[in-house]
Amino acid sequence: AGGSLRVGALVKARLDASGRSFSASVHARNEDGTFDLSCDGSLVEGVPAALVEPVAVGAAVADSLLRDEPGGHIEGTSAFFDAFTAALTSGPKFRTLTAAQQ
């Protein structure tokens, strides 16, 4: 799942036995194929690639994050997923879906 991820990539990862996904960014790629992830201000080391998935964000959000504009830095899991959801639901494709599909 995480084979092509670069340092700094936004990801979601299953970090505990609950099966829930947590927002994180790739801090390091390890020689053994695992990742060290930054998650809510903590470093989680040695996360298997199978538990890490890339998160796609829209171009405007990505540009804002790269420029570190006010509002471009996302603090915490809830804020990350709010921004992620907004990016998913603000595109033209989403508006073409029926209410049941949304």
PDB file of all heavy atoms in Angstrom, residues 48-72:
ATOM      1  N   PRO A  48       4.257  -0.931   9.414  1.00  0.00           N
ATOM      2  CA  PRO A  48       4.322  -1.713   8.172  1.00  0.00           C
ATOM      3  C   PRO A  48       3.617  -1.002   7.015  1.00  0.00           C
ATOM      4  O   PRO A  48       2.561  -0.383   7.196  1.00  0.00           O
ATOM      5  CB  PRO A  48       3.597  -3.015   8.528  1.00  0.00           C
ATOM      6  CG  PRO A  48       3.680  -3.098  10.024  1.00  0.00           C
ATOM      7  CD  PRO A  48       3.641  -1.670  10.501  1.00  0.00           C
ATOM      8  N   ALA A  49       4.173  -1.113   5.826  1.00  0.00           N
ATOM      9  CA  ALA A  49       3.621  -0.448   4.642  1.00  0.00           C
ATOM     10  C   ALA A  49       2.175  -0.863   4.382  1.00  0.00           C
ATOM     11  O   ALA A  49       1.377  -0.061   3.893  1.00  0.00           O
ATOM     12  CB  ALA A  49       4.489  -0.746   3.422  1.00  0.00           C
ATOM     13  N   ALA A  50       1.812  -2.087   4.712  1.00  0.00           N
ATOM     14  CA  ALA A  50       0.450  -2.568   4.477  1.00  0.00           C
ATOM     15  C   ALA A  50      -0.592  -1.808   5.297  1.00  0.00           C
ATOM     16  O   ALA A  50      -1.777  -1.840   4.973  1.00  0.00           O
ATOM     17  CB  ALA A  50       0.366  -4.061   4.788  1.00  0.00           C
ATOM     18  N   LEU A  51      -0.157  -1.110   6.340  1.00  0.00           N
ATOM     19  CA  LEU A  51      -1.082  -0.367   7.200  1.00  0.00           C
ATOM     20  C   LEU A  51      -1.138   1.112   6.858  1.00  0.00           C
ATOM     21  O   LEU A  51      -1.816   1.885   7.539  1.00  0.00           O
ATOM     22  CB  LEU A  51      -0.679  -0.543   8.670  1.00  0.00           C
ATOM     23  CG  LEU A  51      -0.634  -1.978   9.188  1.00  0.00           C
ATOM     24  CD1 LEU A  51      -0.227  -1.998  10.648  1.00  0.00           C
ATOM     25  CD2 LEU A  51      -1.961  -2.679   8.975  1.00  0.00           C
ATOM     26  N   VAL A  52      -0.415   1.522   5.814  1.00  0.00           N
ATOM     27  CA  VAL A  52      -0.295   2.934   5.453  1.00  0.00           C
ATOM     28  C   VAL A  52      -0.883   3.152   4.062  1.00  0.00           C
ATOM     29  O   VAL A  52      -0.539   2.443   3.126  1.00  0.00           O
ATOM     30  CB  VAL A  52       1.182   3.379   5.468  1.00  0.00           C
ATOM     31  CG1 VAL A  52       1.312   4.846   5.090  1.00  0.00           C
ATOM     32  CG2 VAL A  52       1.806   3.117   6.831  1.00  0.00           C
ATOM     33  N   GLU A  53      -1.786   4.138   3.941  1.00  0.00           N
ATOM     34  CA  GLU A  53      -2.395   4.459   2.652  1.00  0.00           C
ATOM     35  C   GLU A  53      -2.236   5.946   2.358  1.00  0.00           C
ATOM     36  O   GLU A  53      -2.415   6.773   3.251  1.00  0.00           O
ATOM     37  CB  GLU A  53      -3.885   4.133   2.662  1.00  0.00           C
ATOM     38  CG  GLU A  53      -4.205   2.669   2.866  1.00  0.00           C
ATOM     39  CD  GLU A  53      -5.695   2.437   2.911  1.00  0.00           C
ATOM     40  OE1 GLU A  53      -6.419   2.990   2.062  1.00  0.00           O
ATOM     41  OE2 GLU A  53      -6.131   1.702   3.813  1.00  0.00           O
ATOM     42  N   PRO A  54      -1.929   6.288   1.114  1.00  0.00           N
ATOM     43  CA  PRO A  54      -1.823   7.714   0.764  1.00  0.00           C
ATOM     44  C   PRO A  54      -3.184   8.388   0.837  1.00  0.00           C
ATOM     45  O   PRO A  54      -4.220   7.754   0.653  1.00  0.00           O
ATOM     46  CB  PRO A  54      -1.302   7.687  -0.674  1.00  0.00           C
ATOM     47  CG  PRO A  54      -1.695   6.348  -1.205  1.00  0.00           C
ATOM     48  CD  PRO A  54      -1.714   5.412  -0.032  1.00  0.00           C
ATOM     49  N   VAL A  55      -3.163   9.666   1.130  1.00  0.00           N
ATOM     50  CA  VAL A  55      -4.374  10.482   1.133  1.00  0.00           C
ATOM     51  C   VAL A  55      -4.244  11.493   0.014  1.00  0.00           C
ATOM     52  O   VAL A  55      -3.278  12.253  -0.036  1.00  0.00           O
ATOM     53  CB  VAL A  55      -4.568  11.210   2.483  1.00  0.00           C
ATOM     54  CG1 VAL A  55      -5.741  12.156   2.423  1.00  0.00           C
ATOM     55  CG2 VAL A  55      -4.747  10.198   3.606  1.00  0.00           C
ATOM     56  N   ALA A  56      -5.195  11.473  -0.905  1.00  0.00           N
ATOM     57  CA  ALA A  56      -5.184  12.423  -2.014  1.00  0.00           C
ATOM     58  C   ALA A  56      -5.928  13.687  -1.587  1.00  0.00           C
ATOM     59  O   ALA A  56      -7.030  13.612  -1.049  1.00  0.00           O
ATOM     60  CB  ALA A  56      -5.863  11.808  -3.235  1.00  0.00           C
ATOM     61  N   VAL A  57      -5.301  14.816  -1.799  1.00  0.00           N
ATOM     62  CA  VAL A  57      -5.953  16.098  -1.524  1.00  0.00           C
ATOM     63  C   VAL A  57      -6.008  16.877  -2.829  1.00  0.00           C
ATOM     64  O   VAL A  57      -5.195  16.663  -3.726  1.00  0.00           O
ATOM     65  CB  VAL A  57      -5.217  16.911  -0.436  1.00  0.00           C
ATOM     66  CG1 VAL A  57      -5.263  16.196   0.890  1.00  0.00           C
ATOM     67  CG2 VAL A  57      -3.789  17.207  -0.820  1.00  0.00           C
ATOM     68  N   GLY A  58      -6.962  17.772  -2.921  1.00  0.00           N
ATOM     69  CA  GLY A  58      -7.097  18.580  -4.118  1.00  0.00           C
ATOM     70  C   GLY A  58      -5.897  19.487  -4.326  1.00  0.00           C
ATOM     71  O   GLY A  58      -5.123  19.751  -3.400  1.00  0.00           O
ATOM     72  N   ALA A  59      -5.733  19.958  -5.534  1.00  0.00           N
ATOM     73  CA  ALA A  59      -4.579  20.788  -5.886  1.00  0.00           C
ATOM     74  C   ALA A  59      -4.509  22.045  -5.036  1.00  0.00           C
ATOM     75  O   ALA A  59      -3.438  22.445  -4.590  1.00  0.00           O
ATOM     76  CB  ALA A  59      -4.627  21.147  -7.371  1.00  0.00           C
ATOM     77  N   ALA A  60      -5.651  22.686  -4.784  1.00  0.00           N
ATOM     78  CA  ALA A  60      -5.651  23.926  -3.996  1.00  0.00           C
ATOM     79  C   ALA A  60      -5.191  23.663  -2.567  1.00  0.00           C
ATOM     80  O   ALA A  60      -4.413  24.432  -1.995  1.00  0.00           O
ATOM     81  CB  ALA A  60      -7.038  24.556  -3.999  1.00  0.00           C
ATOM     82  N   VAL A  61      -5.642  22.561  -1.987  1.00  0.00           N
ATOM     83  CA  VAL A  61      -5.237  22.220  -0.625  1.00  0.00           C
ATOM     84  C   VAL A  61      -3.748  21.880  -0.596  1.00  0.00           C
ATOM     85  O   VAL A  61      -3.012  22.346   0.268  1.00  0.00           O
ATOM     86  CB  VAL A  61      -6.082  21.044  -0.086  1.00  0.00           C
ATOM     87  CG1 VAL A  61      -5.549  20.559   1.255  1.00  0.00           C
ATOM     88  CG2 VAL A  61      -7.544  21.448   0.033  1.00  0.00           C
ATOM     89  N   ALA A  62      -3.295  21.093  -1.558  1.00  0.00           N
ATOM     90  CA  ALA A  62      -1.876  20.728  -1.614  1.00  0.00           C
ATOM     91  C   ALA A  62      -1.003  21.970  -1.771  1.00  0.00           C
ATOM     92  O   ALA A  62       0.016  22.103  -1.090  1.00  0.00           O
ATOM     93  CB  ALA A  62      -1.632  19.746  -2.754  1.00  0.00           C
ATOM     94  N   ASP A  63      -1.386  22.880  -2.649  1.00  0.00           N
ATOM     95  CA  ASP A  63      -0.620  24.114  -2.838  1.00  0.00           C
ATOM     96  C   ASP A  63      -0.560  24.919  -1.555  1.00  0.00           C
ATOM     97  O   ASP A  63       0.477  25.451  -1.188  1.00  0.00           O
ATOM     98  CB  ASP A  63      -1.225  24.970  -3.953  1.00  0.00           C
ATOM     99  CG  ASP A  63      -0.999  24.397  -5.337  1.00  0.00           C
ATOM    100  OD1 ASP A  63      -0.145  23.489  -5.481  1.00  0.00           O
ATOM    101  OD2 ASP A  63      -1.697  24.835  -6.276  1.00  0.00           O
ATOM    102  N   SER A  64      -1.684  25.015  -0.861  1.00  0.00           N
ATOM    103  CA  SER A  64      -1.739  25.757   0.389  1.00  0.00           C
ATOM    104  C   SER A  64      -0.817  25.130   1.433  1.00  0.00           C
ATOM    105  O   SER A  64      -0.099  25.830   2.142  1.00  0.00           O
ATOM    106  CB  SER A  64      -3.184  25.794   0.914  1.00  0.00           C
ATOM    107  OG  SER A  64      -3.237  26.430   2.155  1.00  0.00           O
ATOM    108  N   LEU A  65      -0.815  23.807   1.520  1.00  0.00           N
ATOM    109  CA  LEU A  65       0.051  23.129   2.478  1.00  0.00           C
ATOM    110  C   LEU A  65       1.520  23.347   2.141  1.00  0.00           C
ATOM    111  O   LEU A  65       2.338  23.567   3.026  1.00  0.00           O
ATOM    112  CB  LEU A  65      -0.263  21.636   2.503  1.00  0.00           C
ATOM    113  CG  LEU A  65      -1.606  21.251   3.110  1.00  0.00           C
ATOM    114  CD1 LEU A  65      -1.891  19.778   2.853  1.00  0.00           C
ATOM    115  CD2 LEU A  65      -1.647  21.561   4.592  1.00  0.00           C
ATOM    116  N   LEU A  66       1.860  23.292   0.860  1.00  0.00           N
ATOM    117  CA  LEU A  66       3.247  23.473   0.456  1.00  0.00           C
ATOM    118  C   LEU A  66       3.738  24.891   0.701  1.00  0.00           C
ATOM    119  O   LEU A  66       4.894  25.106   1.040  1.00  0.00           O
ATOM    120  CB  LEU A  66       3.425  23.101  -1.014  1.00  0.00           C
ATOM    121  CG  LEU A  66       3.293  21.611  -1.331  1.00  0.00           C
ATOM    122  CD1 LEU A  66       3.301  21.386  -2.830  1.00  0.00           C
ATOM    123  CD2 LEU A  66       4.396  20.823  -0.655  1.00  0.00           C
ATOM    124  N   ARG A  67       2.857  25.871   0.537  1.00  0.00           N
ATOM    125  CA  ARG A  67       3.242  27.266   0.760  1.00  0.00           C
ATOM    126  C   ARG A  67       3.183  27.643   2.224  1.00  0.00           C
ATOM    127  O   ARG A  67       3.616  28.711   2.610  1.00  0.00           O
ATOM    128  CB  ARG A  67       2.326  28.189  -0.039  1.00  0.00           C
ATOM    129  CG  ARG A  67       2.608  28.165  -1.534  1.00  0.00           C
ATOM    130  CD  ARG A  67       1.885  29.287  -2.254  1.00  0.00           C
ATOM    131  NE  ARG A  67       0.473  29.310  -1.992  1.00  0.00           N
ATOM    132  CZ  ARG A  67      -0.465  28.675  -2.711  1.00  0.00           C
ATOM    133  NH1 ARG A  67      -0.112  27.957  -3.746  1.00  0.00           N
ATOM    134  NH2 ARG A  67      -1.731  28.762  -2.400  1.00  0.00           N
ATOM    135  N   ASP A  68       2.608  26.767   3.064  1.00  0.00           N
ATOM    136  CA  ASP A  68       2.461  27.024   4.493  1.00  0.00           C
ATOM    137  C   ASP A  68       1.710  28.326   4.745  1.00  0.00           C
ATOM    138  O   ASP A  68       2.081  29.134   5.579  1.00  0.00           O
ATOM    139  CB  ASP A  68       3.822  27.047   5.187  1.00  0.00           C
ATOM    140  CG  ASP A  68       3.694  26.805   6.694  1.00  0.00           C
ATOM    141  OD1 ASP A  68       2.674  26.235   7.114  1.00  0.00           O
ATOM    142  OD2 ASP A  68       4.610  27.204   7.430  1.00  0.00           O
ATOM    143  N   GLU A  69       0.647  28.527   3.979  1.00  0.00           N
ATOM    144  CA  GLU A  69      -0.188  29.710   4.151  1.00  0.00           C
ATOM    145  C   GLU A  69      -0.983  29.597   5.442  1.00  0.00           C
ATOM    146  O   GLU A  69      -1.204  28.498   5.944  1.00  0.00           O
ATOM    147  CB  GLU A  69      -1.185  29.822   2.995  1.00  0.00           C
ATOM    148  CG  GLU A  69      -0.558  30.115   1.676  1.00  0.00           C
ATOM    149  CD  GLU A  69      -1.589  30.160   0.560  1.00  0.00           C
ATOM    150  OE1 GLU A  69      -2.729  29.718   0.772  1.00  0.00           O
ATOM    151  OE2 GLU A  69      -1.234  30.644  -0.516  1.00  0.00           O
ATOM    152  N   PRO A  70      -1.455  30.736   5.955  1.00  0.00           N
ATOM    153  CA  PRO A  70      -2.369  30.659   7.095  1.00  0.00           C
ATOM    154  C   PRO A  70      -3.540  29.760   6.718  1.00  0.00           C
ATOM    155  O   PRO A  70      -4.098  29.864   5.640  1.00  0.00           O
ATOM    156  CB  PRO A  70      -2.825  32.106   7.291  1.00  0.00           C
ATOM    157  CG  PRO A  70      -1.732  32.926   6.670  1.00  0.00           C
ATOM    158  CD  PRO A  70      -1.185  32.089   5.535  1.00  0.00           C
ATOM    159  N   GLY A  71      -3.856  28.845   7.598  1.00  0.00           N
ATOM    160  CA  GLY A  71      -4.915  27.895   7.312  1.00  0.00           C
ATOM    161  C   GLY A  71      -4.424  26.694   6.519  1.00  0.00           C
ATOM    162  O   GLY A  71      -5.155  25.738   6.328  1.00  0.00           O
ATOM    163  N   GLY A  72      -3.176  26.719   6.066  1.00  0.00           N
ATOM    164  CA  GLY A  72      -2.636  25.623   5.287  1.00  0.00           C
ATOM    165  C   GLY A  72      -2.091  24.501   6.144  1.00  0.00           C
ATOM    166  O   GLY A  72      -1.947  23.389   5.689  1.00  0.00           O
TER     167      GLY A  72
END
